[in-house]
Amino acid sequence: MTSIGGAEMVDWNLAVATATRLVRPGPEVSRDEARAVVAELRRHARTSEEHVRAFTRMMPEGAPLPDTPVLVVDRAGWVRANVEGFRELLGPLLAKMQDRRGGAPGGAVLGAVGGKVTGVELGMLLSFLASRVLGQYETFAQVAGALPGDPATGGRLLLVAPNIVHVERELEVSPHDFRLWVCLHEETHRTQFTAVPWLRAHLEGEIQTFLGATEMEPGALLERLREAVQSFAGARPDGERGEEAHSFVDLVQSPLQREVLGRLTAVMSLLEGHADFVMDGVGPEVVPSVAEIREKFQQRRATGAGRLDAALRKLLGLDAKLRQYRDGERFVRAVVGEVGMDGFNRVWTSPNTLPTKAEIAKPSDWVARVHRKGSAGREEG
């Protein structure tokens, strides 16, 4: 990334240092317990591959299993991994902003100071998230030795051991069952991106379009930030109160970004809902207490950890992610119920067969659009 006087738009090292300093410690475990947890998560990650493949039928029989790394990490390890992903994904946008700043008076000083401030802010956000994420398929991680532009490169599965242990203790569920249940969800994400070659590039393209449409004028950006804060606080210029507080992500966007965000929301709802559907579909055969785990976990998702947690989730847009799990799972269940698993898998044919945001809410419309076209094509051929 270009820099001015050696200063980047984001001080990534400071972001890591801030997050690792602020993140809360994980649950107390002995060294032997920690080793046992790591070993079991690695075993579950391997066994989940075959369970997910058999249930989803997304990969042909005999095809090689996904060759992407599985990393069992602590909270600090999750932070470092995600900073690498952010740096890769945000590089083009930050370089563009860096170039604009370079021509302004005092650009070098602003670059140095702004990079520090942004690094601290990003670190604070990551410290909040690092104690909540159980697992993640990190889509945009670059694999060492990969060729630039290769759509098959990148991606690794992260399992955050202390968070998994924390939640299984909090819910008072079987550790063995819960760990396998989590691995089934994350393995589904790995299967989605390894079995569908175009998906990673498509998603990255949409995100880059969203970021590329970011308003560069500081005044406009500050105005949108003020609007976000006022909305979150329930304040309006004339003392009026809005119907509902919006997240910062909802407000800081142009009309083009709203359009792209609608498509991204539909894709993420599909991916998250599909993973939830698979983990519960496989569950009864391999996770004896899956019903108990699902019930308790849903309650935990819905309630959060308290008022502060709920407020932060709202401001950061994490409530929208919870809706993605629910709405996406409902879409997948309805489509599979109507046209079967193979019929549902036509969703992975191309970007044109992905559901729209409206179709996520009304699965029958997706079935009518995709399967009507397919049937007509076969008849004509």
Side-chain angles (χ1 to χ4, degrees), residues 6-23:
E8 291 184 335
M9 291 286 292
V10 179
D11 189 327
W12 300 105
N13 292 332
L14 183 58
V16 172
T18 300
T20 52
R21 184 175 67 252
L22 295 179
V23 71

Side-chain angles (χ1 to χ4, degrees), residues 45-329:
R46 286 194 299 270
T47 59
S48 294
E49 292 176 347
E50 290 293 350
H51 292 314
V52 171
R53 169 184 288 206
F55 185 82
T56 64
R57 301 203 287 274
M58 289 179 66
M59 300 184 70
E61 288 295 328
L65 291 171
D67 186 20
T68 53
V70 177
L71 304 179
V72 181
V73 298
D74 58 11
R75 290 170 176 175
W78 180 86
V79 167
R80 288 190 292 270
N82 275 267
V83 165
E84 292 176 24
F86 278 135
R87 192 169 190 167
E88 179 72 25
L89 193 61
L90 297 178
L93 171 65
L94 296 183
K96 182 178 177 181
M97 295 180 71
Q98 191 96 13
D99 290 341
R100 289 202 173 196
R101 178 175 287 178
V109 175
L110 288 173
V113 174
K116 297 291 184 186
V117 172
T118 308
V120 170
E121 291 172 341
L122 178 58
M124 294 172 67
L125 169 61
L126 289 172
S127 71
F128 171 75
L129 296 174
S131 61
R132 287 158 174 77
V133 176
L134 301 181
Q136 169 188 356
Y137 183 71
E138 195 191 2
T139 314
F140 302 108
Q142 289 297 312
V143 175
L147 295 175
D150 183 352
T153 63
R156 55 188 176 186
L157 185 63
L158 304 179
L159 299 169
V160 191
N163 295 349
I164 293 172
V165 172
H166 171 78
V167 174
E168 70 192 24
R169 290 179 179 179
E170 181 183 287
L171 298 182
E172 297 181 341
V173 294
S174 162
H176 172 83
D177 286 3
F178 185 74
R179 294 167 194 175
L180 178 54
W181 189 69
V182 170
C183 286
L184 289 170
H185 182 101
E186 304 308 331
E187 177 58 35
T188 302
H189 286 318
R190 180 161 65 155
T191 298
Q192 290 163 348
F193 283 94
T194 52
V196 184
W198 53 264
L199 183 57
R200 179 180 185 270
H202 172 73
L203 192 59
E204 184 174 13
E206 291 280 57
I207 292 172
Q208 292 302 337
T209 300
F210 180 89
L211 295 176
T214 299
E215 294 180 9
M216 297 296 176
E217 291 298 325
L221 201 56
L222 287 173
E223 175 60 26
R224 288 183 179 272
L225 176 59
R226 184 182 67 84
E227 183 183 354
V229 173
Q230 285 181 341
S231 177
F232 179 61
R236 288 294 183 272
D238 298 325
E240 299 175 358
R241 296 184 65 85
E243 295 179 1
E244 181 182 2
H246 298 284
S247 74
F248 182 76
V249 173
D250 290 331
L251 291 166
V252 184
Q253 56 184 286
S254 67
L256 173 59
Q257 286 177 310
R258 290 190 183 95
E259 180 182 335
V260 176
L261 188 61
R263 296 197 297 267
L264 282 170
T265 298
V267 175
M268 298 310 298
S269 296
L270 170 69
L271 299 180
E272 296 293 358
H274 183 235
D276 265 12
F277 177 78
V278 171
M279 72 197 294
D280 287 346
V282 174
E285 294 185 8
V286 298
V287 183
S289 58
V290 64
E292 177 193 3
I293 291 173
R294 164 57 72 191
E295 181 180 1
K296 290 183 175 180
F297 195 73
Q298 290 285 52
Q299 291 174 354
R300 184 180 188 275
R301 268 183 182 171
T303 59
R307 293 181 63 185
L308 176 60
D309 183 77
L312 286 169
R313 288 193 317 185
K314 181 65 181 177
L315 183 59
L316 297 173
L318 299 183
D319 279 352
K321 186 172 179 63
L322 300 184
R323 290 194 296 273
Q324 287 171 4
Y325 287 112
R326 182 186 66 241
D327 297 344
E329 195 274 342

